[in-house]
Amino acid sequence: MSDLSFQSIILKLVNFWVSKGCIFLQPYDTEMGAGTLHPSTALRVLGKEPWNAVYLQPSRRPADGRFAENPNRVQHYYQLQVIIKPSPENFQEMYLESLQEIGIKVQNNDIRFVEDDWENPSIGASGLGYEVWLNGMEVTQFTYMQQMCGYLCRPVAGEITYGLERIAMHVQNVDSIFDIRWNDRTVEKKAMTYGDIFLQSEKEGCAFSQRYANIEFLRSSFDLYESECFKLALNHLPTAAYDLCLKASHSFNLLEARRSVSVIERANYLKRIRSMAKACAKAYLESKSERLEEAQENA
Amino acid sequence: MHNELLLELYSEEIPYLAAIKAVKYAEDFFEKELKSANVNFSVVEVTSGPRRLAIVLKDLAYESSIKSEKIKGPKVDSPEIAISKFLEKYNVDKSSVLEENGYLYIEIMESLNLKSLLIKIVNNFIKSIPWPKNMLWAEHKISWIRPLKNILCIFQSKILEGIEFGHLHSNNITFGHHVLFPESLVINSYMEYVQKLETRKVMVNQHLRKAKIIGDAAKLCELHSVHLEMDENLVAEIAALVEYPFMMVGKIDHFLVEVLPRELIELTLKKNQRYMICEKADKTLAPLFIFAANINVETRSKVVSGNEKVVRARLHDAMFFYEQDRKKGLALYVEKLKDLNFHHKLGNMYDKSQRLFDILQILNNKLQISSDIKLEKLASLMKADLASVTVSEFPELQGIVGYYLFRDVEKEIALAIKEQYYRGEVLENISKLGYIGALSDKFDTLISLFLAGERPTGSKDPFALRRQAIAIIKIIEFAGFDLDLIQVIKEFSAKSFKEFVSDQGLKDVENFMLERLKNHLKNTYKSELVEDLCAIQNEFRINKLIEDVKKVQQFLGTREGLSLAGAFKRVHNILEIEEKRDKTGFSSLNIVQKTLNDDEQNLVSEIEKLKGVNLLKLEAIGMQINHYLDNTLVNDNDAQIRANRLNLLAKIREFASIYPRIF
């Protein structure tokens, strides 16, 4: 059993995918709910151009925060995202190999690919694939992307999203996210834990998103981002427009965390974000002189 | 040489329900194709596993090996060019042409090739599997349920060349257990396929996997002195998730089992994790779960501890929420119902609770089950758990959480809170208060949504209104309540929906309920009876109606019943003939009283007496009518008498038309 620190896990996985031909990109600098929303996935899976990338992405899910009282749930965590287009023939095997790199041996653990059809209606994305279970716990999302931003993906990209904290908790045998060792201890110093680094910001982040975030501000921000996004897309600036789509999406996530969105409003907001994403994708494809088939809108 | 065909489609993990459907499809497909091609077989067997779908066909042989077909061509006297085109198409010359009835025919003899037929069938099969969802992957043009990796197809121990699907061609290799024996191996027969894969940790047959799961799970339970809960669907699902099931036991912290509602633990373990649960001798939940691992490792390995960790994490999570709710208590959530929407025209769940009290009182006035105080309490608390954190995390547990939060305060009310979701499906032991609680919720949902303008369409019923109506009917039937639905609907609407009530709205609800009732009855009783008896009702007492339908159906099967039906039929027939002949209709209005004889007077007055009376009382009239017809010449020589008699028959016909479909 390996005793890898969180940062070592990240380094090893990144190196593994780099050795498989992925470029090592950096996290995107706008708040987002998942690694899939990084333009390196959201925009790059569109069109014919091959694309192989690995990157870390901090993911913010304001509604998931539990003020650090729950050992398994935080509103800010890290995903390791791998995107390979077209999807490789032995994608599952590559993933299993990557687990070996961090000491998770397939002969000693029950690793299963369990059916999971993944959907992110806010950016018109859907894929078919699996949750990967490691001894009963879901640690990774494994998806063949079928559509993105309302367009069909041709060719299909394979996406792997590692839930790093969960994997680290398995590897290090700890029961709480906050006990994860972030670095290796030395003779002189103890290792820093996840809690040492993030406990304060987690608690304050929860307070902000669930109690203090200004609802009026968020609502008008959403509207402003939205109109700017469409304007930029119309002016053939899709990558800049997409930034604003992300900002609008995050504003919505905060509104949800503040419980200020009713069921009908929620559907409406998601629709608006989807339209923004579609407009960005359309302009993006035009910029690459590519045409793609639109996906059917589900009723 | 064994005429055996083996086909294996090897892919990434196939979703469980899709696999079940594919197995059924494959069985039907191959049986049908072989039969229609007149090919005999001894076995069509389909096996499925998480990564493979395999079909074996054994002892294939043609019924006869020569087939001839006659193809019709142009007329004998057609222009030369038409004839030569026809001959060209089938590559024959004039000498092979036959003549029959002025047309040219060609006879084609085919010495049949079993191989080429099988190639055609298999290729069609692969293309035609109706997966619920198809996906693309990489740059391939083919779509499948999950990425398809290999096609094994052997016939008579050799590769059946010619099987093609996109970039894949048939070969004779397969793969062992995905992580333990991933290397390819060559296969020459089905027996080899099963045995070699078995040693490489793949049990190809899903039935054997299921049996192993059940057998090994039972053994583990015995070891721990607990009793396995058998859930067929769960076992089938588990069998679809592993190539080779190794059953293991995990432990659950005792106090979690003691404190958390059993339903919550079951939901987490069975639905989320696909674990099996066990009971102790006293039928309470054992602090154990049984799970299937896809590999065989020693129990001290991380496999068991990992699974236990997941359970612990999930249940601790649940505990976190449940404790919050227990501290608050159910009553404190009543106010919070104001934050939960029901429908934009009908307000929130708190408003619904108010209406629930109204309908509970209305039902109770008729059924005398409980007291106003209790009903008020029930109404206010019934929906309260919807505002609890546990239910917002586990929406499937609505009603159940309410029960647990209140059972130490007042058990009777707590039980009714749980029982409100009873849908009349299975004859469970429901309390009387529970029955009317269940009815009240469904009545409110149904009537309020209808009055607010919601209507289910043929394909969309987002509020599940049909289900609510059917449940109301079943509950009333099982509980044996004597309720007039029309009364209830009217009273409730008047009391609680003053702004919304419209005659049309009420009519719509009544008709909707009536349709559901008719459908329900038609499951057991004859359709014509149901339609006619429902049509003459002016009240809507379900149990009485069911009794009536039952009795009538019975009666119509008796000698008297048949005689009655027969009598009406004779009347119909006679009138049909005579009306056609006279080119006019006969009617009771044209009866001339004084021309009637004594028997006829009697018949008329009897019919008058029986109008509006229950069909069951019509025994005697049947005999009377038959007797009259047996002893009377309707077509009397005297035109007036004849007309009068026919008008009398018309009166009988009008009488019978109260039940237009039965008679």
Side-chain angles (χ1 to χ4, degrees):
Chain A
M1 187 192 78
S2 86
D3 217 15
L4 292 173
S5 63
F6 196 74
Q7 66 187 36
S8 300
I9 290 172
I10 294 172
L11 289 169
K12 284 198 182 271
L13 288 174
V14 166
N15 277 323
F16 174 83
W17 290 104
V18 165
S19 76
K20 297 292 180 188
C22 291
I23 59 173
F24 176 33
L25 289 176
Q26 297 304 311
Y28 205 63
D29 56 356
T30 302
E31 301 102 319
M32 58 181 68
T36 307
L37 296 170
H38 192 305
S40 278
T41 299
L43 294 178
R44 290 285 181 180
V45 298
L46 297 167
K48 295 196 298 281
E49 238 178 281
W51 183 252
N52 311 306
V54 57
Y55 57 92
L56 193 65
Q57 182 63 46
S59 304
R60 287 197 194 230
R61 302 198 178 172
D64 280 2
R66 297 280 183 270
F67 292 86
E69 285 163 19
N70 185 310
N72 297 303
R73 279 203 224 189
V74 287
Q75 59 138 29
H76 171 286
Y77 63 100
Y78 290 100
Q79 289 182 344
L80 187 74
Q81 180 85 341
V82 175
I83 190 89
I84 299 185
K85 176 171 75 133
S87 63
E89 285 306 316
N90 53 346
F91 206 30
Q92 284 184 330
E93 289 73 23
M94 286 165 86
Y95 171 76
L96 292 174
E97 229 186 296
S98 75
L99 292 182
Q100 308 267 78
E101 289 289 306
I102 51 176
I104 298 176
K105 295 205 161 36
V106 295
Q107 291 83 4
N108 297 343
N109 290 288
D110 186 17
I111 299 171
R112 248 40 110 64
F113 292 88
V114 179
E115 167 200 4
D116 190 29
D117 293 344
W118 168 94
E119 233 177 61
N120 188 333
S122 72
I123 52 161
S126 75
L128 298 177
Y130 324 95
E131 322 174 324
V132 183
W133 284 16
L134 172 59
N135 300 330
M137 176 163 69
E138 182 195 338
V139 293
T140 301
Q141 186 72 34
F142 188 103
T143 308
Y144 292 98
M145 205 63 73
Q146 305 293 299
Q147 83 185 50
M148 175 63 73
C149 298
Y151 286 97
L152 298 178
C153 297
R154 302 273 183 280
V156 167
E159 182 203 55
I160 293 177
T161 304
Y162 293 85
L164 288 172
E165 283 82 359
R166 289 204 175 172
I167 290 176
M169 283 164 77
H170 166 92
V171 163
Q172 295 180 9
N173 214 4
V174 295
D175 288 324
S176 163
I177 283 187
F178 301 102
D179 294 336
I180 293 174
R181 277 177 298 105
W182 187 276
N183 64 343
D184 299 297
R185 63 162 183 236
T186 61
V187 174
E188 295 102 40
K189 283 205 290 205
K190 270 190 352 190
M192 288 208 85
T193 65
Y194 203 98
D196 291 335
I197 305 170
F198 291 108
L199 191 65
Q200 179 179 356
S201 54
E202 175 65 27
K203 286 186 176 164
E204 291 174 9
C206 288
F208 165 69
S209 36
Q210 293 179 28
R211 293 189 192 147
Y212 286 91
N214 184 316
I215 293 177
E216 278 321 304
F217 173 77
L218 290 169
R219 285 182 185 273
S220 45
S221 301
F222 186 96
D223 297 342
L224 287 169
Y225 287 137
E226 185 187 32
S227 67
E228 286 300 293
C229 174
F230 282 122
K231 208 197 304 179
L232 291 171
L234 279 170
N235 280 293
H236 313 292
L237 301 170
T239 55
Y242 186 68
D243 274 4
L244 294 170
C245 173
L246 289 173
K247 289 187 191 296
S249 173
H250 183 63
S251 301
F252 164 71
N253 288 340
L254 285 171
L255 281 170
E256 271 216 299
R258 288 287 272 122
R259 299 182 166 238
S260 104
V261 181
S262 75
V263 172
I264 295 178
E265 276 186 302
R266 181 173 197 273
N268 201 26
Y269 268 117
L270 289 177
K271 205 164 164 195
R272 287 165 74 182
I273 300 170
R274 204 159 51 242
S275 305
M276 279 185 255
K278 181 105 183 259
C280 296
K282 181 163 183 280
Y284 180 76
L285 287 167
E286 280 164 12
S287 72
K288 302 271 179 182
S289 309
E290 286 204 51
R291 302 210 60 214
L292 262 193
E293 197 184 326
E294 288 179 32
Q296 299 267 17
E297 188 81 22
N298 287 331
Chain B
M1 181 133 56
H2 295 288
N3 269 9
E4 176 190 271
L5 179 128
L6 173 62
L7 172 70
E8 185 203 58
L9 300 164
Y10 184 74
S11 65
E12 291 185 4
E13 281 72 1
I14 305 169
Y16 148 67
L17 291 172
I20 292 184
K21 292 208 174 108
V23 167
K24 183 87 191 37
Y25 177 76
E27 286 166 348
D28 294 343
F29 180 92
F30 281 99
E31 280 187 23
K32 192 173 87 139
E33 290 295 317
L34 292 175
K35 282 201 176 111
S36 72
N38 286 322
V39 175
N40 289 330
F41 56 89
S42 67
V43 169
V44 166
E45 194 178 306
V46 182
T47 59
S48 77
R51 293 172 67 90
R52 54 196 93 214
L53 181 66
I55 295 105
V56 63
L57 311 172
K58 292 189 185 169
D59 299 317
L60 296 164
Y62 263 116
E63 194 63 62
S64 73
S65 61
I66 308 270
K67 184 173 93 165
S68 80
E69 199 182 335
K70 232 157 70 173
I71 305 198
K72 187 173 177 179
K75 283 190 161 155
V76 175
D77 52 3
S78 303
E80 198 55 51
I81 185 159
I83 297 180
S84 52
K85 273 226 159 85
F86 174 61
L87 298 175
E88 223 176 273
K89 183 171 179 196
Y90 293 96
N91 209 3
V92 293
D93 62 42
K94 263 205 146 146
S95 58
S96 330
V97 164
L98 311 161
E99 257 181 53
E100 207 180 288
N101 296 332
Y103 281 90
L104 296 175
Y105 282 87
I106 296 179
E107 200 161 37
I108 299 204
M109 313 275 259
E110 231 177 276
S111 109
L112 295 166
N113 192 320
L114 189 54
K115 245 196 219 173
S116 53
L117 175 76
L118 290 173
I119 292 171
K120 197 170 73 147
I121 292 179
V122 169
N123 278 327
N124 280 343
F125 170 67
I126 299 174
K127 282 196 292 253
S128 71
I129 302 182
W131 299 113
K133 273 190 197 168
N134 272 301
M135 62 172 276
L136 293 168
W137 63 99
E139 287 166 304
H140 301 303
K141 301 286 183 286
I142 52 174
S143 69
W144 193 247
I145 181 82
R146 285 293 184 274
L148 183 61
K149 298 196 167 289
N150 191 65
I151 301 177
L152 177 160
C153 193
I154 53 176
F155 177 61
Q156 295 172 337
S157 302
K158 293 202 290 282
I159 299 176
L160 187 65
E161 307 278 4
I163 308 297
E164 277 168 22
F165 186 54
H167 60 288
L168 297 168
H169 306 274
S170 46
N171 55 38
N172 59 357
I173 61 169
T174 186
F175 303 86
H177 188 283
H178 188 211
V179 293
L180 299 173
F181 293 95
E183 318 80 29
S184 65
L185 57 147
V186 172
I187 298 291
N188 295 308
S189 75
Y190 182 61
M191 193 164 74
E192 202 182 338
Y193 174 73
V194 175
Q195 286 172 352
K196 279 196 175 164
L197 283 178
E198 170 79 35
T199 50
R200 284 165 177 75
K201 295 295 173 238
V202 176
M203 276 180 98
V204 299
N205 190 313
Q206 64 275 26
H207 302 295
L208 295 177
R209 289 199 307 273
K210 274 190 260 188
K212 184 173 201 294
I213 290 167
I214 296 172
D216 289 356
K219 279 199 207 112
L220 285 170
C221 284
E222 237 188 88
L223 256 153
H224 288 86
S225 310
V226 292
H227 181 73
L228 178 70
E229 188 212 55
M230 252 312 287
D231 182 338
E232 297 277 346
N233 288 329
L234 183 59
V235 171
E237 192 175 357
I238 296 172
L241 288 172
V242 287
E243 298 201 90
Y244 205 104
F246 297 98
M247 306 311 291
M248 305 186 123
V249 178
K251 294 201 175 64
I252 311 173
D253 298 336
H254 278 264
F255 87 98
L256 287 169
V257 176
E258 273 151 39
V259 177
L260 287 171
R262 174 171 173 156
E263 292 86 340
L264 190 153
I265 299 177
E266 281 198 29
L267 181 65
T268 301
L269 262 48
K270 288 170 67 167
K271 187 150 175 255
N272 297 139
Q273 299 292 126
R274 281 81 151 190
Y275 296 153
M276 294 195 275
I277 58 171
C278 326
E279 286 177 343
K280 297 193 283 208
D282 61 2
K283 300 272 180 168
T284 60
L285 200 59
L288 288 177
F289 60 94
I290 311 263
F291 66 97
N294 200 24
I295 57 166
N296 193 9
V297 284
E298 9 159 314
T299 44
R300 275 174 302 137
S301 73
K302 269 190 160 177
V303 175
V304 172
S305 62
N307 279 280
E308 285 176 341
K309 234 187 197 179
V310 177
V311 169
R312 195 173 305 125
R314 279 189 181 272
L315 293 182
H316 269 147
D317 240 21
M319 181 71 117
F320 181 70
F321 300 121
Y322 187 59
E323 282 303 298
Q324 271 184 51
D325 288 335
R326 283 229 301 196
K327 277 198 199 99
K328 274 214 168 84
L330 192 61
L332 251 76
Y333 281 118
V334 172
E335 274 300 301
K336 298 238 166 173
L337 287 178
K338 292 179 180 163
D339 296 331
L340 289 176
N341 259 325
F342 175 58
H343 184 272
H344 62 272
K345 281 194 197 154
L346 297 161
N348 53 46
M349 287 312 239
Y350 185 83
D351 299 323
K352 189 186 219 287
S353 313
Q354 315 276 73
R355 295 196 303 268
L356 287 174
F357 184 37
D358 291 342
I359 177 84
L360 276 168
Q361 283 184 306
I362 291 172
L363 292 172
N364 194 49
N365 282 339
K366 305 185 196 304
L367 300 170
Q368 300 298 317
I369 284 174
S370 189
S371 67
D372 253 22
I373 298 176
K374 285 213 172 125
L375 294 180
E376 191 172 8
K377 210 182 267 184
L378 178 61
S380 88
L381 292 170
M382 242 167 94
K383 296 294 177 191
D385 71 353
L386 294 176
S388 70
V389 269
T390 308
V391 172
S392 57
E393 285 294 315
F394 302 97
E396 304 94 331
L397 297 178
Q398 38 184 273
I400 293 173
V401 172
Y403 164 72
Y404 280 97
L405 293 179
F406 207 68
R407 67 175 173 173
D408 294 332
V409 180
E410 197 169 340
K411 188 139 197 197
E412 194 189 349
I413 305 279
L415 202 56
I417 294 174
K418 180 162 77 161
E419 290 167 337
Q420 73 179 289
Y421 295 105
Y422 172 61
R423 294 215 313 252
E425 286 304 331
V426 172
L427 223 57
E428 291 168 24
N429 231 349
I430 307 287
S431 69
K432 286 238 155 89
L433 192 60
Y435 276 132
I436 58 171
L439 282 175
S440 68
D441 184 32
K442 292 163 184 59
F443 268 123
D444 177 74
T445 299
L446 187 63
I447 296 169
S448 69
L449 288 171
F450 254 84
L451 290 178
E454 299 289 347
R455 295 285 180 281
T457 67
S459 53
K460 281 199 190 146
D461 185 8
F463 294 100
L465 295 171
R466 276 196 194 86
R467 237 181 32 199
Q468 309 283 348
I470 293 170
I472 289 174
I473 293 165
K474 285 188 178 171
I475 293 172
I476 293 178
E477 193 183 346
F478 287 157
F481 288 155
D482 188 11
L483 287 170
D484 179 353
L485 287 193
I486 293 182
Q487 269 271 306
V488 171
I489 293 171
K490 275 204 175 76
E491 274 184 53
F492 185 39
S493 314
K495 189 163 187 192
S496 314
F497 297 102
K498 299 191 190 66
E499 334 79 84
F500 284 112
V501 174
S502 70
D503 283 340
Q504 188 54 53
L506 289 181
K507 228 11 172 157
D508 286 351
V509 185
E510 285 169 21
N511 289 337
F512 186 70
M513 287 267 2
L514 193 57
E515 273 310 303
R516 306 280 86 65
L517 177 62
K518 282 198 263 184
N519 289 343
H520 175 67
L521 291 174
K522 285 179 191 178
N523 285 333
T524 321
Y525 304 103
K526 290 213 176 106
S527 176
E528 321 85 73
L529 252 95
V530 173
E531 286 291 341
D532 278 354
L533 289 174
C534 286
I536 61 168
Q537 294 291 315
N538 52 14
E539 49 176 23
F540 203 152
R541 294 159 62 193
I542 292 177
N543 284 314
K544 180 170 169 297
L545 193 56
I546 293 177
E547 263 305 296
D548 284 352
V549 172
K550 193 157 115 178
K551 285 195 186 134
V552 168
Q553 180 150 309
Q554 249 174 0
F555 166 68
L556 290 175
T558 62
R559 194 169 53 110
E560 292 76 16
L562 291 169
S563 148
L564 178 64
F568 287 140
K569 195 156 201 308
R570 287 171 80 180
V571 167
H572 269 290
N573 289 343
I574 294 173
L575 282 170
E576 206 181 311
I577 296 171
E578 301 308 320
E579 281 174 338
K580 204 165 172 195
R581 184 184 296 172
D582 284 22
K583 296 207 199 336
T584 181
F586 293 97
S587 150
S588 62
L589 300 168
N590 299 332
I591 293 178
V592 180
Q593 279 291 119
K594 47 191 187 130
T595 335
L596 296 174
N597 64 29
D598 283 342
D599 279 342
E600 288 163 353
Q601 296 268 26
N602 201 312
L603 202 49
V604 168
S605 66
E606 278 304 306
I607 288 174
E608 282 302 315
K609 267 200 275 177
L610 290 172
K611 267 203 181 135
V613 145
N614 198 303
L615 195 156
L616 295 164
K617 301 215 166 79
L618 303 183
E619 252 185 71
I621 197 78
M623 303 217 306
Q624 211 176 336
I625 296 173
N626 274 321
H627 180 86
Y628 175 70
L629 290 174
D630 289 339
N631 298 306
T632 313
L633 180 61
V634 175
N635 280 323
D636 196 285
N637 286 322
D638 183 326
Q640 271 193 322
I641 294 183
R642 171 176 172 273
N644 222 27
R645 287 185 175 160
L646 288 170
N647 286 324
L648 173 62
L649 291 192
K651 187 175 180 72
I652 297 174
R653 180 173 61 184
E654 279 153 36
F655 179 61
S657 70
I658 297 173
Y659 304 98
R661 292 175 196 79
I662 302 176
F663 299 125

